[in-house]
């Protein structure tokens, strides 16, 4: 029995050896290789941002992050106090980070601190033997403009969250990856992030590096050229200053956003590493909403800027042309008195726009009715997203009888239409919507899709996906009667004309066809203002939308000044931005004229001699190579070298004087 027992154990041992060395040999060989070779990620640099003229807006800077590797068969928990002390981390926060990644695969490095200092790097190197689980990775980290310059437009980056990972859009991301969280960073993250590489490192049994096997280099993300003009963006930032509100500047011909500002702002550099919880809570609880991009998300009553839409509807319907209203400071409708800001007397449509007479537009709204107003509002994109290539754009509200029935299960009362006629009541818009609306009407019904990134640099498949991801009113064309177009644009020009006593006369720019419309929108009813008391800012919001020139414009600006009181105040801010645009345009035109003048060809004549060929000798030359020089002459057009290619266009080659050879020559047509 003992012998049989020994034989059985020997057979079992032999079978085990056979399984380990033959059947599972390949599996254990791979495990051994994994213990010997560690794959370190090489993170790709995100693409940079440039403005329309090639000025750098967003860059990257070299940074070092610390990761914890759990596959060293090392007691990591025992080392946590030393790690926390050396890296200046809170011990409990470090333990919470490890618990967060407990379900992740063991080979996945855990990020424990980003952008570590030189002292912290030295600590890791000095404790290689004691803390083999600590590794560092070089990466490029975002460097944004200071003081929140264009922050809402650009956005910021951050670590992908668990909620993001559950979204199919982030299917290819892993915990710890950096993704765009707002603005352009979010919309174009797929192009900006690039493709990470890796490096195969040979390590010993203690996890120490002893050599390298190979490297798969990272592919940087695509750089993006924006439509933003940095000079106009700076002017808009300075004009708005510390005021709460937004500025949008757009080229109405193609929808390129030249500037976009939202205040108060935030510093996206705070997110480039990892924002702490205290600062984050401060941002999200701030009543001024610094994280909101008010240019595309602030849904507010447009005030009297809505009267441009009312004028369009009234003229197209044939109602406003011959309408005359006597303004005695207001008018009564349906048993309620609706006030106007002053006594305008007799008012027609030509004066109603520049004077912004509420009484006229109360009457016009009553004649048109809410559904007619809503039909024209929808035709110019109100109550709809514009389709701008930025995340979380708001749609605003264009009320109608159907809208109220669907949302409130109530009928629309005729008295509600009166307030809508002056951009109050249920109607709300965003600054970018107003910019698109005004520019489309001034462009004879041609409406464009706003965008902030030059579309020519995008792959066709990405452009298609972009249009599907950001639906909106987009690019459309509506038919306008020529008289409608003329009356509205002339009325907008009158608003900035001191001779017309327009509401935006203070924003008049001498020698510039600057037209626009002011708006002052109440933030609360008069009864609500009385209830709120003096502790709450109840001043109206100030609006202004303007174009240059009045018809077929190439520049449109929309300004929202929250609690700015009168629209005339917002118009002054718009005039500051318009002045910078006009001056820059004039400078560019002046440079073009100077360049054209400098490059104008100059006609001149020249005479020179050319030695005769050696074969042509005179008789009696006594064997000497006597030659007869030939005289040549011609007329030339001289083109300055800095502005033309340095070459001579001619069918024959000539020997020219040295002083003339420094100029490119072009023969004048018809001359020898």
């Amino acid at each position: 029995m003992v012998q049989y027992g020994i034989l059985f154990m020997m057979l079992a041992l032999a079978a085990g050896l056979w399984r380990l060395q033959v059947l599972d040999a390949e599996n254990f060989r791979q495990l051994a290789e994994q213990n010997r070779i560690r794959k370190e990620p090489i993170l790709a640099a995100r693409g940079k941002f440039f403005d329309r003229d090639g000025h750098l807006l967003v860059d990257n800077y070299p940074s070092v992050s610390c990761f914890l590797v759990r596959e060293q068969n090392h007691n990591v928990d025992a080392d946590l106090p030393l790690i926390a002390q050396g890296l200046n981390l809170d011990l409990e926060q470090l333990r919470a980070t490890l618990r967060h990644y407990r379900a992740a695969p063991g080979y996945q490095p855990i990020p424990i601190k980003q952008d570590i200092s030189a002292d912290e790097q030295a600590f890791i190197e000095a404790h290689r033997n004691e803390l083999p689980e600590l590794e560092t990775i070089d990466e490029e980290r975002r460097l944004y403009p200071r003081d929140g310059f264009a922050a809402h437009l650009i956005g910021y980056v951050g670590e992908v969250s668990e909620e993001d990972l559950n979204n199919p859009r982030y299917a290819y991301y892993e915990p710890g990856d950096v993704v765009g969280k707002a603005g352009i960073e979010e919309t174009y993250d797929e192009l900006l992030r690039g493709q990470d590489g890796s490096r195969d490192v040979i390590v010993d049994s203690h996890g120490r590096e002893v050599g390298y096997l190979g490297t798969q280099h990272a592919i940087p993300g695509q750089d993006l050229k924006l439509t933003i003009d940095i000079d106009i963006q700076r002017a808009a930032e300075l004009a708005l200053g510390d005021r709460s509100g937004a500025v949008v500047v757009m080229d109405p011909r193609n929808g390129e956003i030249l500037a976009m500002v939202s205040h108060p702002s935030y510093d996206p550099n705070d997110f480039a590493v990892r924002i702490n919880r205290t600062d984050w809570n401060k941002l999200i609880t701030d009543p001024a909403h610094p994280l909101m991009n008010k240019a595309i998300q602030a849904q507010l009553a447009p005030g009297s800027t809505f009267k441009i839409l009312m004028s369009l509807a009234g003229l197209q319907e044939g109602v406003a042309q011959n309408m005359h209203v006597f303004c005695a400071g207001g008018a009564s409708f349906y048993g309620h008195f609706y006030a106007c800001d002053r006594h305008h007397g007799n008012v027609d449509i030509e004066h109603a726009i520049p004077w912004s007479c509420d009484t006229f537009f109360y009457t016009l709204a009553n004649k048109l009715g809410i559904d007619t107003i809503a039909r024209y509002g929808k035709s110019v994109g109100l109550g709809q997203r514009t389709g701008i290539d930025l995340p979380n754009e708001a749609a605003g509200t264009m009320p109608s009888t159907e809208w109220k029935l669907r949302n409130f299960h109530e009928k629309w009362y005729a008295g509600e239409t009166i307030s809508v006629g002056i951009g109050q009541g249920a109607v709300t818009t965003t600054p970018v919507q107003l910019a698109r609306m005004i520019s489309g009407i001034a462009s004879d019904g041609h409406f464009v899709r706003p965008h902030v990134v030059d579309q020519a640099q995008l792959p066709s498949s990405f452009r298609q996906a972009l249009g599907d991801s950001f639906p909106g009113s987009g690019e459309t064309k509506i038919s306008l009667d020529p008289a409608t177009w003329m009356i509205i644009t002339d009325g907008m020009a009158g608003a900035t004309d001191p001779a017309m006593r327009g509401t935006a006369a203070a924003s008049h720019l001498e020698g510039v066809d600057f037209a626009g419309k002011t708006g002052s929108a109440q933030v609360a009813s008069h009864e609500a203002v009385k209830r709120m008391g003096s502790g709450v800012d109840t001043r109206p919001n100030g609006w202004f939308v303007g174009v240059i020139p009045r018809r077929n414009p190439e520049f449109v600006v929309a300004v929202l000044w929250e609690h700015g009181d009168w629209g005339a105040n917002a118009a002054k801010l718009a005039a500051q931005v318009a002045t910078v645009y006009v001056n820059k345009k004039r400078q560019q035109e002046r440079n073009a004229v100077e360049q054209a003048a400098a490059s104008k060809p100059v006609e001149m004549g020249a005479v020179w001699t050319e030695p005769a060929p050696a074969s042509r000798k005179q008789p009696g030359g006594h064997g000497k190579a006597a030659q007869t020089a030939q005289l040549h002459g011609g007329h030339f057009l001289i083109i300055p070298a800095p502005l033309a290619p340095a070459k001579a266009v001619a069918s024959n080659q000539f020997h020219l004087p040295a002083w003339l050879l420094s100029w490119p020559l072009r023969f004048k047509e018809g001359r020898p």
Side-chain angles (χ1 to χ4, degrees):
M1 291 179 63
V2 172
Q3 289 176 345
Y4 280 120
I6 293 173
L7 177 61
F8 177 77
M9 287 188 292
M10 294 297 293
L11 291 175
L13 181 59
L17 292 173
W18 172 263
R19 181 179 61 82
L20 292 173
Q21 298 185 24
V22 178
L23 296 181
D24 295 336
E26 182 62 22
N27 181 43
F28 286 112
R29 187 190 67 78
Q30 293 179 0
L31 291 174
E33 285 292 326
Q34 291 174 3
N35 286 332
R36 184 175 68 90
I37 302 172
R38 184 169 65 234
K39 190 175 288 289
E40 292 184 349
I42 300 176
L43 305 181
R46 287 180 73 84
K48 302 176 182 179
F49 294 168
F50 297 87
D51 86 330
R52 65 189 302 112
D53 296 322
H55 300 115
L56 184 63
L57 279 175
V58 177
D59 199 359
N60 300 308
Y61 70 92
S63 174
V64 178
S65 295
C66 179
F67 288 76
L68 189 143
V69 181
R70 294 171 292 173
E71 52 182 357
Q72 304 296 339
N73 297 322
H74 194 77
N75 186 5
V76 174
D77 293 337
D79 295 336
L80 293 184
L82 179 59
I83 294 174
Q85 181 181 0
L87 297 180
N88 300 304
L89 293 171
D90 180 74
L91 180 58
E92 290 306 317
Q93 182 180 351
L94 179 59
R95 286 174 173 158
T97 301
L98 264 62
R99 287 194 297 271
H100 177 72
Y101 287 93
R102 191 175 300 279
Y107 59 83
Q108 179 181 316
I110 299 175
I112 58 174
K113 188 167 187 179
Q114 300 173 333
D115 202 25
I116 62 176
S117 65
D119 291 341
E120 291 164 347
Q121 293 181 50
F123 165 79
I124 295 173
E125 291 299 327
H127 293 79
R128 280 291 181 190
N129 293 333
E130 304 167 68
L131 304 172
E133 63 269 26
L134 292 186
E135 293 293 341
T136 58
I137 294 179
D138 296 330
E139 56 182 322
E140 297 284 325
R141 200 166 293 281
R142 270 314 203 208
L143 183 62
Y144 295 106
R146 293 182 300 173
D147 302 323
F149 183 86
H152 295 88
L153 173 76
I154 295 169
Y156 60 91
V157 294
E159 184 179 339
V160 63
S161 64
E162 290 185 5
E163 182 180 352
D164 292 336
L165 293 174
N166 294 326
N167 188 330
R169 177 185 174 188
Y170 298 93
Y172 298 100
Y173 293 80
E174 296 180 355
D177 283 348
V178 172
V179 298
K181 289 288 190 178
I184 300 172
E185 291 277 23
E186 180 176 339
T187 300
Y188 294 89
D189 183 73
E190 180 182 339
L191 300 180
L192 292 167
R193 71 186 305 259
Q195 184 176 337
D196 293 342
S198 62
R199 180 174 57 180
D200 293 332
V201 180
I202 303 174
V203 297
D204 60 16
S205 59
H206 297 286
R208 293 174 296 207
E209 297 181 6
V210 296
Y212 300 96
L213 282 182
T215 301
Q216 180 182 355
H217 295 286
I219 302 175
Q222 178 181 331
D223 294 340
L224 290 180
K225 178 183 177 183
L226 311 185
T227 62
I228 299 303
D229 186 310
I230 195 171
D231 297 317
I232 300 176
Q233 178 74 27
R234 184 182 296 111
E237 297 270 3
L238 293 174
L240 195 56
D242 295 331
R243 305 172 184 90
S244 180
V247 178
V248 176
V249 182
M250 186 177 74
D251 186 336
R253 298 168 295 183
N254 50 30
E256 293 181 348
I257 298 294
L258 304 179
M260 180 178 286
V261 178
S262 177
H263 284 177
S265 188
Y266 63 93
D267 189 351
N269 290 294
D270 293 340
F271 296 87
V273 181
R274 178 178 287 177
I275 190 168
N276 61 60
R277 187 174 298 276
T278 301
D279 292 340
W280 173 250
N281 288 334
K282 183 178 179 181
L283 285 173
I284 62 176
T285 57
D286 191 328
H289 306 294
L291 291 177
M292 174 191 284
N293 185 354
K294 295 177 182 177
I296 65 172
Q297 294 176 315
Q299 303 177 87
L300 300 170
S304 294
T305 59
F306 191 77
K307 293 173 182 176
I308 299 300
L309 183 277
M310 291 295 302
S311 301
L312 174 70
L315 291 168
Q316 289 290 97
E317 291 293 307
V319 175
Q321 287 88 337
N322 301 316
M323 199 174 91
H324 292 77
V325 174
F326 183 79
C327 174
S332 295
F333 299 90
Y334 307 103
H336 181 78
F337 181 78
Y338 294 84
C340 186
D341 64 318
R342 63 185 63 184
H343 293 67
H344 291 105
N346 288 315
V347 182
D348 56 12
I349 185 64
E350 284 82 4
H351 292 85
I353 296 175
W355 292 351
S356 194
C357 177
D358 288 346
T359 306
F360 183 93
F361 288 99
Y362 291 147
T363 307
L364 181 59
N366 191 46
K367 289 178 177 290
L368 292 174
I370 188 61
D371 287 332
T372 300
I373 297 172
R375 176 160 52 86
Y376 280 94
K378 291 177 181 177
S379 72
V380 301
L382 297 185
Q384 309 164 53
R385 297 178 179 88
T386 64
I388 190 172
D389 51 340
L390 290 173
N392 304 317
E393 180 188 7
T397 303
M398 185 63 247
S400 65
T401 54
E402 186 272 335
W403 167 84
K404 189 175 182 184
L405 188 62
R406 184 180 67 249
N407 290 278
F408 300 98
H409 307 290
E410 297 177 359
K411 65 172 291 187
W412 181 272
Y413 294 98
E416 297 176 272
T417 308
I418 308 304
S419 295
V420 171
I422 62 167
Q424 297 280 177
V427 62
T428 62
T429 61
T430 64
V432 72
Q433 268 186 6
L434 282 182
R436 180 182 179 275
M437 181 191 78
I438 296 296
S439 64
I441 294 173
S443 299
D444 196 18
H446 177 225
F447 295 82
V448 294
R449 178 192 292 269
H451 58 277
V452 297
V453 171
D454 186 354
Q455 304 293 293
Q457 65 192 308
L458 305 178
S460 57
S461 59
F462 190 89
R463 284 202 302 270
Q464 178 63 39
L466 199 64
D468 296 338
S469 301
F470 296 91
S473 46
E475 186 162 342
T476 57
K477 173 71 175 167
I478 65 173
S479 178
L480 295 184
D481 186 277
T484 298
W485 186 38
M486 296 290 183
I487 292 173
I488 292 177
T489 51
D490 286 344
M492 291 168 59
T496 62
D497 186 356
M500 279 287 292
R501 295 178 288 117
T503 56
S507 66
H508 176 73
L509 300 178
E510 193 64 35
V512 179
D513 190 12
F514 185 39
K517 184 70 190 76
T518 58
S520 302
Q522 287 181 301
V523 296
S525 65
H526 295 295
E527 293 76 11
V529 169
K530 294 177 181 178
R531 290 195 304 268
M532 291 178 184
S534 60
V536 180
D537 192 348
T538 57
R539 290 175 299 168
N541 293 327
W543 287 93
F544 179 80
V545 285
V547 294
I548 299 175
R550 73 183 75 179
R551 284 189 274 274
N552 295 321
E554 58 186 39
F555 170 92
V556 60
V557 56
V559 176
L560 163 65
W561 180 358
E562 291 184 301
H563 307 296
D565 211 349
W566 293 103
N569 297 331
K572 295 176 184 178
L573 306 185
Q576 296 178 38
V577 181
T579 300
V580 172
Y581 170 79
V582 170
N583 290 340
K584 184 170 184 176
K585 191 77 173 177
R586 287 173 174 171
Q587 184 62 46
Q588 290 173 342
E589 293 173 353
R590 189 179 301 116
N591 292 342
V593 171
E594 292 174 353
Q595 179 176 346
S599 62
K600 184 178 181 180
V602 179
E603 183 177 354
M604 67 169 292
V607 179
W608 67 93
T609 59
E610 182 183 63
S615 60
R616 303 175 66 182
K617 298 182 180 180
Q618 298 295 329
H622 304 290
K624 296 181 179 180
Q627 301 177 353
T628 300
Q630 290 184 326
L631 184 65
H632 294 271
H635 287 76
F636 304 93
L637 293 178
I638 310 301
I639 304 173
L643 303 176
K647 66 179 181 179
V649 180
S651 58
N652 299 310
Q653 298 297 320
F654 297 93
H655 298 282
L656 302 181
W659 64 270
L660 195 56
L661 288 173
S662 63
W663 296 83
L665 304 181
R666 188 183 304 274
F667 276 94
K668 188 173 182 180
E669 186 176 355
R671 296 291 180 90

